Structures are given as C-alpha cells and as structure tokens.
Amino acid sequence: MKDLDTHQALRVWDLPTRLFHWGLVLCVGGAVVCAKLGGNAMAWHLRFGYAVMALLVFRLLWGVFGGHWSRWRQMLYGPAATWRYLRGQALPDDHFDVGHNPLGALSVLVMLAWLAVQVGSGLISDDEVATSGPLAAWVSSETSLEWTDYHQHLGQWGLYAMLGLHVGAVLFHQWFKRRQLIGAMLGGDKLAPAHLQASRDSAATRLFALTLLTACVAAVYLLVTLGAPG
C-alpha cells in the first residue's frame, strides 16, 4: 500500500479547463483592446464578446461534466472550511493547495459572474453613435442606455479591478508562497498526495468537451443572429 503522504504529479486541470482559461484571457484582452481602439475595431470587440459568452456557457456546463477538480462542487466551500483556511488550520482532508482554495474559488466565481453580466449588458447596449448590441432593439431605449452606462463604467472598471486582484493573487502565490499556479494551468499537473483523485483528461473527455464547446458556440451564434431583428 502506498504511503498516503507520498506526493506525485497529479492531473488537476484537464486540457479543456486549461484551454478555457487561456482562451478567456485572450478574448477578454482582445475585447478590451478593441474597445479602446474604437472605430472599425468595435466589430471585433463584439466578436470577442460573443466568444467570451460561449466560453462562459461552456465553463458553466464543464463545472458539471468536467474533470474532478474543475467541477463546481470542488469550488463551493462552506463557512467552516473557509474559516479553517483563513486561520491556516486545514484538516488533513481539505487539500486547499490542490484545486482552488476557498478565497481563490470565491474570486473565480465572482469574476465569472461579473463577466457574464458584462457580456449580457453588452448585448443590449447602444452607444447611439455607431455600435449597438445585437439585442438592443428588444429592450426599451431607457433600459438600453442604463445598461450601456453600466457596461462602459461600473462594469468595465469593476472587471479591471477583479482582473488585477486575480493576477496579483496568482503572482503572490507564485513568487512568495512558491506554488506553481501558472505552471499547473499550463501543464495541468500539480505535486499532490498520491491517493487523491485525478481529473479525467482522456481523448474521450477532450472530444466531449470539443462537442460541448461547439454546441455553446452554435447557441451564441443563434442568439446574436436570429435574436436580432431583421
């Protein structure tokens, strides 16, 4: 029998989760850059926004069907577990350093929710100049203007703040606590107790993830094309 204290490389982040993460980084970054450029680049701002929406829907579903450490149940901590983490008094079965720790999980959930609201507000926004969301005509002009103001101000700056905190927390753990968070999100593995369950990351699960993502892209495409008035 293996010693339960023995550590080995454990597949924590499956390939679909890793591609989602870096795809979201690229799409959010692209949307921000295009919004700052304005003009003709706004068409790409919208496309990047649609891509973010498809990725968010995929992640919502992957939290149910994905690898062990990517599932929502591994990211939902109760008050007791969170308090143990804050006090540095983790129990042997907590394993806060394997998947997301309680604060990391909370920050990820809040950031994904904020992104979802930001994308949703963009769908019904109208700058009254040259760019409007594909569903702007489905709401009143007052509602559209209110959400446009949110999208351009509170939503935008709140997102910047969350992204900054997220990057800062990752770098803090990477440099000061010597935890290879970036390497794990690139390669998928972490050094962890050998008895822990690894995330499924087979060819079959990757094919399923690709099929799921394709369905999400198709759903977003239908929303923004068929949902928009002719």
Side-chain angles (χ1 to χ4, degrees):
M1 179 181 295
K2 288 186 177 180
D3 183 352
L4 293 185
D5 292 330
T6 299
H7 282 59
Q8 65 181 20
L10 181 78
R11 178 52 49 93
V12 174
W13 306 125
D14 53 55
L15 182 62
T17 297
R18 285 176 277 148
L19 292 179
F20 159 80
H21 179 275
W22 297 114
L24 193 65
V25 170
L26 290 174
C27 290
V28 170
V32 169
V33 170
C34 291
K36 298 305 179 184
L37 291 174
N40 293 333
M42 287 303 295
W44 278 101
H45 174 75
L46 293 175
R47 293 180 185 123
F48 278 122
Y50 303 152
V52 170
M53 183 190 302
L55 287 171
L56 290 176
V57 175
F58 168 80
R59 186 62 182 91
L60 178 66
L61 297 173
W62 199 241
V64 177
F65 301 109
H68 177 76
W69 297 99
S70 297
R71 295 195 176 192
W72 299 124
R73 67 170 179 260
Q74 299 301 326
M75 299 177 65
L76 299 176
Y77 291 95
T82 303
W83 183 237
R84 290 196 302 273
Y85 173 77
L86 292 174
R87 291 185 300 169
Q89 297 178 348
L91 298 176
D93 291 333
D94 282 332
H95 304 301
F96 292 141
D97 294 334
V98 180
H100 289 293
N101 64 54
L103 291 186
L106 179 61
S107 69
V108 168
L109 293 173
V110 170
M111 186 164 55
L112 293 179
W114 196 281
L115 268 173
V117 175
Q118 184 70 352
V119 169
S121 65
L123 290 175
I124 58 174
S125 292
D126 186 353
D127 64 7
E128 297 188 300
V129 179
T131 305
S132 62
L135 305 184
W138 290 88
V139 299
S140 67
S141 59
E142 293 80 5
T143 299
S144 180
L145 291 176
E146 288 175 358
W147 281 105
T148 301
D149 183 72
Y150 170 87
H151 189 82
Q152 295 177 343
H153 297 97
L154 178 60
Q156 176 184 191
W157 292 106
L159 180 60
Y160 293 162
M162 290 184 190
L163 292 175
L165 287 172
H166 181 72
V167 171
V170 168
L171 294 179
F172 173 77
H173 282 84
Q174 186 82 16
W175 292 342
F176 295 99
K177 292 200 170 185
R178 303 298 181 185
R179 293 171 184 164
Q180 299 301 313
L181 300 185
I182 298 175
M185 192 53 74
L186 288 170
D189 295 342
K190 283 186 178 182
L191 197 63
H195 69 282
L196 292 183
Q197 180 176 341
S199 289
R200 293 175 303 167
D201 197 16
S202 65
T205 59
R206 294 175 180 183
L207 180 60
F208 174 68
L210 179 60
T211 303
L212 197 62
L213 178 61
T214 301
C216 294
V217 171
V220 171
Y221 175 80
L222 290 174
L223 175 68
V224 302
T225 55
L226 302 183

